[in-house]
Amino acid sequence: MIMRWQKALVRQLELFFVSSVVIFAVARALPRTPMEVYLQDRGLPVTPESIEALERQWGLGGPIVVQYFRWIGRFCTGDWGTSIVTGEQISVAMAQRLPISLAIGLGGVALAALLAYPLGMKASLGSRGWDLGARLITLISQAVPSFLICTLVIDLFGVRLGWIPFFRLSGAALVIAPMLIVAFYSLGQLSRVVTAHAEELRTEPFVTAAVARGFELNDLLWRDGRRPVLYGLISTVIAKMAWVIGGTAIVEYVFAVPGMSYYLIKSISSRDYTVVQSYLMVLVLWMFGTRIILGGVLSWLDPRTR
Amino acid sequence: MTVMLSLRDVRKAYRSASRDVNALDGVDLDLPSDHALALVGESGCGKTTLGELTVGLQRPDAGQIMHASGVDLANCRPRSLRSLRPRLQMVFQNPFASFAPHLRLHQSLAPVARRQGIAQPMIISALVDSLEQVGLSAAHLDRYPAQLSGGQLQRASLARALLCDPQYIVADEISSALDVAAQDELTRLLGRLRAQRHFTLLFITHDLGLARQVADDVCVMDAGRIVERGRADQVLDDPQTRAAKRLVDAIPRFRY
Amino acid sequence: MTIGIDHHGPVSLRVRGLSVRTRGDSPALLLDDVDLDLAPGQRVGIVGHSGAGKSMFLRALTGFCPDSLDVQGSVQLIDGSGEIQELLTADTKQRRRLATGAMAISWQNALQSLNPYQTISRQLGATLRLHRQLTADEVRSASLQWLASVGLSDGAGLLGSYPHQLSGGMRQRVAIAMTMCGGQPIVVADEPTTALDMVSQAECIDLYDRLCAAGARSLLYVSHDLALVGRLCTSVMVIQDARVVESGSIDQVRTRESSNPGASTRFSGILLAS
Amino acid sequence: MRIRLMVAAGILGVMILAFSLPHGDPSAVDLTAVLQPPSQAHPLGTDDLGRDVWALMAVGFWRTLTVVVTASLTSVLIGVPLGLIAGYSRGAVNAIIMTATDLTMIIPTFVAALLVTAVVGLTPFSAGLVLGLFGAGTYVNQTRALTLSIRSYDYVRAEVLLATPTVQILLRHVLPGVAGPLMRYFGSSASGTILAYAGLAFIGLGVDTTVPDWGTMLYRHRSQIDHPLLLLWPTLGIFLLAIVFHILADPALRKEGQ
């Protein structure tokens, strides 16, 4: 129903606006203002006049509300300001790093979802073996910290076997290993969701009625179970979308991959708040986009919501 | 015979996914006190909605539901509705959903007795009396709902309602989830209790034959309106409207 | 793959000593030594309180008992040429294939038995093709014919719509068409009218009556209401506490029951006649 | 389900007992006894600064446990009541709670923890609070969804007719229905918290790496692959503690015994 999808769109626009206000307020509430950080890092005296000057130069002066609208106006037109520490255009820096993080995060979750469907269904319908396998993956992904596995991977393949020169890679090769690890860490949870939905289907009245008409249960679940199970899988993927950019922080940090999260960690440690602020706005934009797109896929999947 | 509840032009509509459904399309109805009325109709005719409106579980979109105490259930403030609450009770269709699954029977019933002002030491005996009135016993007090049959749970629901000394009880298809034998016992119990306690009973059902056993006064509903009202025997022997005819034809008779 | 078993002529059902017990050290008796003969075209009603074991009898008979239960006895399908197929000795998959090939089975909540994610034409077509080799056109015409036979006029429009777009009454009729469109000679129904109101119940009973008469099909109908069964079946079997306590024609059972009103087998619905 | 609880309680009990035994001073540096294998004096050997690994592990255990308890309490005490209220009331209250929840759901818990601990410093309480706060969103959503469905059950509507006060309905009739499913979700979120805290300590923003945290221990010894034991003990600690909560969570995703 177009009406339902438009309602979701308006809801997300509201959310976007509210979160931008919150992010703006948080950035302003931090103990050390960007001006102080800039002056102290360069050993310059922190005097009201120098703060005044910097504020005018960076266009941060004036009443708070005007500042907000100037900031959001510039943000929407692509001018995200300059990094206090490096002075480079934030939007440029983000543009270089976003694709890398997306490849690792989105690629990892997508790969996990692709594997989770067959693995989860097999775990529900197939032999005990598949089920134990799925449980083992979930167990490891919930009990073994990711940075440990990254370290072991680097040590084994990089140092001992020397197959992959991890810290000298570039281009696509850069993201392969981190993406696989992200996929592994999402696979456990996603396959458990698929199994749970497949189990639920077994007792659905329309399934028992079809079995009574002569259809074989497992064939039926494989063929007709697709939509309800995919519905459950994709709604879990939507919930994981916030994790895609942020959750890959450790993986990017250990592999020293110049992605968004690695950039965030560096900015936080150097108190580069304008970068942090823009990072959070990218997150909000990212969530806004995925909820609209995947929300549309969900409503296509279940005719009742169409 | 004072009028306990009088409904004037009551309307209610639901917006469902596929299409707008107006459950009630202008209903006028007077419910006298100490009276038994059967509300009969096919599913979707709005009889359950009407039942829920008369106990204030929902509010109508338009119209008036004037209670003898002068409170209009349709437009009054929540506080005045709450003061009326214990006097207007309802027993629901699915017995297994009528009691909290994690509470023993006495844990569900005791607070009701306490709120009626019964002193703490007297509560257990009050509960036992109310259960015995509906054909259950003290032994049932310690049981969880899952350990009781559908028929027993509906009786316990009736006992819970009676604890509030109600002036009005809505029985919303209370026997359709039971098998025929339990159905018979429950309807006969309901008739006995009404005669003893003199509350007004709104007996909602789709089974005209069952309605005849419980109430003399019958209302037939179709598509959100009351289309026919009269004595039970008269409606059964000589149904006027199409809806009433369909209901009468549907009562199983022996063909062989 | 179709499971349509080509029966030569009418099929009759012979059940001998059918019992169901729970496994484990103290097995509980759920069904005790039940016999039944169902000649082609004959209709038998099975009546009993809820939980008496009537649904268990149907599940055991059709091979849909969960594996956790121990089913004894014999259930045989005998077709016109005298060829006998024994269900209970076959393995689960084969047993269900044989059972669904010969019997049109429907369990209780018919209203939810349609797949909400598929259009009516897809579900009905799949069931038709499961029982017979049909080309696309044949499937379409068969589907339309079946929708008409359950009294649904706008067949073409219905085919393309989803279950949630249909009214309760229409969904119930489509469900009945779906269970019977396999053309099986024996119809087995376990209280299909629960959760229906009186008028739809009556319509559902008439539908079963007409469809069974049309295909000269035999019928096994389970209900807790003797009056309902009375409209459909010629003879009845009363099950109580897992045992058959009474069987015979409807009139025999009714007179026997009304002669001692205290009899615990009070199943008569609200009898207008008496 | 009972076996699961016993196994989980067993592991947790053993760890609590083991790490509450008296142990050496974790900050006692002894450069003469660097990287020693397990011995009578040092049951788990010593690290690159000659500190007793057993003492480090013990302190790390209690700090991690503090984080899990703080985070879980924060999530539950904030999330469940808000979920109940949002589920039971309509209109403005519901909208405000849901918008706030959506906000915390947009920003990943880990990123929020990175930001906050960098500003206020990484301590078990600060990490616990921020992980708890940003983890509360899921509790609000789950509680609200359960409340919405339980609210329409007949026994709750009957209580409304019996003039039972709303608070009593929420606590006595709705909450028990919510507690079951939430209890199982608690397991998976708790094991997630353990890994998140270890990750925060590993990245080490705003923390001095001499503080005995399992995450910092792993960070310090990550390059000493030739001394695998130094990596093994913290990993084993994290693994076992996470297992305790993972066992509780498993039925959540697979319907067992229902």
Side-chain angles (χ1 to χ4, degrees):
Chain A
M1 279 256 281
I2 300 301
M3 198 270 290
R4 186 183 297 272
W5 194 68
Q6 262 162 347
K7 207 152 58 97
L9 197 64
V10 166
R11 171 98 180 95
Q12 293 307 331
L13 275 175
E14 277 164 31
L15 219 53
F16 175 78
F17 177 71
V18 168
S19 23
S20 67
V21 168
V22 168
I23 291 171
F24 178 80
V26 162
R28 287 300 172 285
L30 292 178
R32 293 169 67 217
T33 66
M35 286 69 76
E36 283 164 31
V37 170
Y38 184 84
L39 294 171
Q40 278 157 358
D41 284 358
R42 285 162 182 66
L44 298 169
V46 178
T47 61
E49 294 75 18
S50 46
I51 291 179
E52 252 306 293
L54 278 175
E55 262 182 3
R56 251 196 327 287
Q57 180 197 344
W58 287 341
L60 296 181
I64 198 94
V65 174
V66 169
Q67 276 183 40
Y68 167 73
F69 281 106
R70 192 184 311 130
W71 167 66
I72 194 80
R74 282 218 204 99
F75 181 82
C76 294
T77 56
D79 167 12
W80 293 0
T82 58
S83 145
I84 301 170
V85 175
T86 60
E88 62 180 331
Q89 276 290 351
I90 295 177
S91 47
V92 169
M94 291 283 183
Q96 286 159 358
R97 291 178 170 77
L98 189 57
I100 297 171
S101 278
L102 281 186
I104 295 176
L106 196 55
V109 171
L111 183 63
L114 271 175
L115 295 174
Y117 183 79
L119 177 62
M121 289 296 270
K122 270 270 192 230
S124 163
L125 311 178
S127 63
R128 255 337 242 148
W130 285 97
D131 182 39
L132 288 181
R135 280 169 183 265
L136 193 62
I137 292 175
T138 315
L139 184 68
I140 294 174
S141 59
Q142 279 200 335
V144 176
S146 52
F147 54 82
L148 192 67
I149 291 201
C150 296
T151 317
L152 293 179
V153 161
I154 292 174
D155 172 61
L156 183 63
F157 293 105
V159 176
R160 297 210 180 198
L161 300 174
W163 290 348
I164 308 171
F166 278 105
F167 299 113
R168 291 192 306 287
L169 293 173
S170 64
L174 208 60
V175 295
I176 301 296
M179 189 176 77
L180 291 176
I181 289 178
V182 164
F184 173 77
Y185 269 82
S186 317
L187 184 55
Q189 183 194 1
L190 291 182
S191 69
R192 305 305 294 154
V193 165
V194 168
T195 308
H197 279 81
E199 287 297 302
E200 234 169 74
L201 268 181
R202 278 172 188 280
T203 53
E204 279 287 330
F206 76 87
V207 170
T208 44
V211 169
R213 292 199 301 273
F215 289 97
E216 202 278 322
L217 180 62
N218 280 5
D219 297 349
L220 191 69
L221 287 178
W222 271 110
R223 204 183 35 236
D224 291 357
R226 251 200 324 277
R227 283 200 174 201
V229 171
L230 279 180
Y231 192 92
L233 180 62
I234 289 179
S235 10
T236 313
V237 164
I238 290 183
K240 261 193 121 46
M241 272 305 148
W243 181 83
V244 163
I245 296 185
T248 55
I250 290 190
V251 174
E252 286 183 11
Y253 179 76
V254 178
F255 282 96
V257 169
M260 290 278 288
S261 307
Y262 191 49
Y263 186 43
L264 171 74
I265 294 172
K266 285 224 301 294
S267 317
I268 294 176
S269 56
S270 60
R271 297 294 186 274
D272 194 338
Y273 292 126
T274 40
V275 169
V276 171
Q277 196 175 320
S278 310
Y279 175 91
L280 293 177
M281 284 307 287
V282 166
L283 260 185
V284 171
L285 277 175
W286 164 251
M287 281 306 295
F288 177 74
T290 43
R291 283 188 179 180
I292 297 292
I293 297 162
L294 287 181
V297 169
L298 274 189
S299 63
W300 171 76
L301 266 178
D302 185 344
R304 285 170 291 191
T305 55
R306 218 170 292 171
Chain B
M1 188 172 64
T2 60
V3 172
M4 197 268 301
L5 264 182
S6 81
L7 284 76
R8 286 292 171 273
D9 190 27
V10 171
R11 295 175 186 281
K12 180 78 177 177
Y14 296 113
R15 263 156 301 292
S16 72
S18 37
R19 55 206 185 307
D20 276 6
V21 172
N22 49 36
L24 295 178
D25 192 10
V27 167
D28 299 317
L29 180 66
D30 280 347
L31 282 170
S33 48
D34 185 6
H35 181 78
L37 171 69
L39 195 60
V40 194
E42 292 174 58
S43 15
C45 73
K47 51 189 189 301
T48 297
T49 308
L50 188 60
E52 291 186 351
L53 289 176
T54 56
V55 283
L57 260 184
Q58 289 184 58
R59 298 233 178 189
D61 298 338
Q64 260 190 352
I65 305 177
M66 196 49 76
H67 182 256
S69 66
V71 172
D72 172 7
L73 269 66
N75 311 304
C76 68
R77 283 199 315 281
R79 220 160 8 79
S80 42
L81 177 60
R82 175 163 301 148
S83 64
L84 261 181
R85 276 270 186 249
R87 305 306 311 274
L88 314 172
Q89 285 303 315
M90 184 165 181
V91 179
F92 298 93
Q93 173 172 359
N94 177 1
F96 299 101
S98 300
F99 282 92
H102 54 281
L103 294 176
R104 294 178 195 273
L105 213 53
H106 72 82
Q107 290 173 303
S108 287
L109 296 177
V112 181
R114 201 173 303 123
R115 259 201 307 283
Q116 290 306 112
I118 299 173
Q120 186 58 28
M122 299 299 298
I123 284 196
I124 295 299
S125 61
L127 295 189
V128 171
D129 290 349
S130 68
L131 287 188
E132 272 158 5
Q133 249 188 24
V134 293
L136 295 175
S137 73
H140 295 108
L141 279 176
D142 281 336
R143 298 225 187 119
Y144 287 98
Q147 297 163 320
L148 295 168
S149 76
Q152 287 169 331
L153 281 168
Q154 287 299 46
R155 290 162 179 266
S157 276
L158 267 175
R160 175 169 58 183
L162 290 170
L163 269 173
C164 307
D165 191 17
Q167 66 177 162
Y168 173 60
I169 294 184
V170 174
D172 181 9
E173 303 223 25
I174 61 173
S175 55
S176 54
L178 309 178
D179 60 43
V180 174
Q183 218 172 53
D184 265 355
E185 287 157 22
L186 192 63
T187 29
R188 252 191 261 105
L189 169 67
L190 200 54
R192 249 196 346 269
L193 287 171
R194 211 203 66 70
Q196 279 168 12
R197 302 288 291 270
H198 306 296
F199 51 83
T200 300
L201 170 68
L202 184 68
F203 185 77
I204 298 179
T205 176
H206 53 80
D207 181 345
L208 204 47
L210 199 57
R212 188 177 73 93
Q213 274 213 10
V214 173
D216 237 354
D217 184 3
V218 169
C219 260
V220 177
M221 275 189 79
D222 186 21
R225 312 170 75 91
I226 294 183
V227 293
E228 191 170 339
R229 179 167 186 178
R231 293 180 40 74
D233 299 335
Q234 179 222 333
V235 170
L236 274 157
D237 302 340
D238 173 21
Q240 301 299 322
T241 55
R242 198 170 49 80
K245 286 196 177 69
R246 266 213 313 272
L247 285 167
V248 173
D249 297 345
I251 298 170
R253 285 183 197 75
F254 277 89
R255 183 160 31 154
Y256 297 94
Chain C
M1 178 281 275
T2 72
I3 60 167
I5 295 159
D6 36 27
H7 299 290
H8 320 296
V11 175
S12 59
L13 181 68
R14 184 195 305 144
V15 176
R16 287 292 176 275
L18 191 60
S19 303
V20 178
R21 287 178 182 75
T22 53
R23 297 186 198 275
D25 36 27
S26 63
L29 189 60
L30 301 178
L31 195 67
D32 184 10
D33 191 15
V34 177
D35 300 342
L36 172 76
D37 279 296
L38 190 67
Q42 186 190 354
R43 296 184 189 172
V44 172
I46 300 166
V47 176
H49 290 301
S50 47
K54 48 188 194 304
S55 293
M56 186 54 68
F57 173 57
L58 232 53
R59 297 262 165 175
L61 177 69
T62 55
F64 277 94
C65 255
D67 299 340
S68 58
L69 297 178
D70 168 25
V71 182
Q72 302 294 338
S74 108
V75 173
Q76 289 172 342
L77 293 168
I78 305 134
D79 71 15
S81 65
E83 189 210 338
I84 297 177
Q85 285 162 342
E86 169 58 50
L87 285 182
L88 292 190
T89 53
D91 64 54
T92 310
K93 207 166 192 178
Q94 174 67 3
R95 190 171 66 223
R96 290 201 175 159
R97 218 173 66 80
L98 284 173
T100 51
M103 298 185 243
I105 303 162
S106 63
W107 305 128
Q108 287 200 356
N109 38 29
L111 272 184
Q112 281 91 25
S113 67
L114 300 181
N115 183 341
Y117 297 95
Q118 288 177 355
T119 58
I120 304 294
S121 62
R122 183 136 178 261
Q123 308 179 43
L124 195 51
T127 310
L128 282 164
R129 272 197 306 280
L130 182 65
H131 289 279
R132 284 198 304 279
Q133 293 285 12
L134 295 170
T135 67
D137 299 343
E138 285 164 341
V139 165
R140 183 170 171 73
S141 63
S143 304
L144 287 171
Q145 195 202 337
W146 268 106
L147 290 179
S149 71
V150 288
L152 292 170
S153 51
D154 168 23
L158 274 178
L159 280 182
S161 46
Y162 284 91
H164 70 276
Q165 294 163 323
L166 273 58
S167 75
M170 290 200 288
R171 269 209 302 275
Q172 173 205 327
R173 289 167 181 272
V174 170
I176 291 176
M178 286 254 271
T179 45
M180 294 215 188
C181 68
Q184 297 95 330
I186 304 173
V187 174
V188 171
D190 184 356
E191 293 201 77
T193 61
T194 48
L196 296 181
D197 69 40
M198 209 48 129
V199 174
S200 333
Q201 220 172 54
E203 285 164 5
C204 178
I205 299 291
D206 289 346
L207 215 48
Y208 268 96
D209 190 17
R210 256 186 316 110
L211 289 172
C212 289
R217 298 159 171 224
S218 40
L219 171 66
L220 264 181
Y221 191 88
V222 159
S223 171
H224 60 79
D225 184 344
L226 188 61
L228 269 187
V229 168
R231 298 176 65 147
L232 264 177
C233 307
T234 47
S235 57
V236 76
M237 188 162 71
V238 179
I239 292 186
Q240 191 178 320
D241 301 334
R243 276 187 312 89
V244 176
V245 290
E246 231 169 292
S247 65
S249 77
I250 294 277
D251 294 335
Q252 282 167 343
V253 171
R254 248 182 72 226
T255 49
R256 225 177 287 143
E257 184 209 302
S258 54
S259 62
N260 48 32
S264 61
T265 58
R266 242 188 76 60
F267 301 109
S268 61
I270 310 303
L271 298 181
L272 259 180
S274 66
Chain D
M1 186 56 186
R2 208 164 294 106
I3 317 146
R4 289 177 176 288
L5 282 182
M6 280 204 298
V7 168
I11 298 175
L12 191 60
V14 165
M15 289 177 91
I16 290 178
L17 273 179
F19 289 125
S20 46
L21 292 174
H23 51 72
D25 170 7
S27 51
V29 171
D30 172 5
L31 293 180
T32 61
V34 165
L35 294 174
Q36 280 184 350
S39 62
Q40 234 298 325
H42 302 293
L44 295 180
T46 62
D47 70 356
D48 55 346
L49 293 175
R51 294 181 297 178
D52 174 32
V53 173
W54 174 266
L56 291 172
M57 282 298 290
V59 171
F61 168 75
W62 291 109
R63 285 172 66 94
T64 309
L65 204 59
T66 316
V67 173
V68 172
V69 169
T70 319
S72 309
L73 279 180
T74 314
S75 291
V76 170
L77 293 182
I78 293 176
V80 173
L82 284 183
L84 284 173
I85 294 164
Y88 205 78
S89 65
R90 293 208 192 295
V93 172
N94 183 26
I96 295 166
I97 293 177
M98 290 325 291
T99 309
T101 309
D102 257 351
L103 271 183
T104 62
M105 299 290 276
I106 284 182
I107 298 163
T109 313
F110 191 75
V111 168
L114 271 177
L115 269 172
V116 172
T117 51
V119 172
V120 300
L122 180 67
T123 66
F125 284 110
S126 70
L129 283 176
V130 69
L131 288 173
L133 186 64
F134 278 84
T138 318
Y139 281 90
V140 175
N141 285 338
Q142 293 225 354
T143 310
R144 178 172 174 271
L146 288 164
T147 307
L148 280 175
S149 66
I150 293 173
R151 198 180 113 134
S152 63
Y153 290 166
D154 289 343
Y155 65 84
V156 174
R157 285 149 39 108
E159 289 301 324
V160 169
L161 289 179
L162 296 162
T164 311
T166 309
V167 175
Q168 196 182 42
I169 293 181
L170 285 178
L171 293 182
R172 206 154 174 269
H173 293 89
V174 178
L175 191 55
V178 164
L182 268 195
M183 198 16 230
R184 289 195 291 273
Y185 169 73
F186 161 78
S188 59
S189 84
S191 54
T193 306
I194 296 168
L195 297 194
Y197 180 62
L200 287 173
F202 184 82
I203 292 183
L205 282 178
V207 84
D208 74 55
T209 55
T210 56
V211 168
D213 259 320
W214 288 346
T216 42
M217 286 167 74
L218 286 171
Y219 177 75
R220 277 181 61 78
H221 306 309
R222 71 187 187 293
S223 49
Q224 280 143 349
I225 303 293
D226 38 29
H227 287 281
L229 280 185
L230 290 173
L231 279 178
L232 175 66
W233 302 126
T235 313
L236 199 59
I238 295 172
F239 186 80
L240 286 177
L241 196 55
I243 289 269
V244 165
F245 294 102
H246 171 77
I247 289 178
L248 299 180
D250 203 45
L253 297 174
R254 186 180 168 82
K255 297 235 169 355
E256 259 170 303
Q258 250 148 355

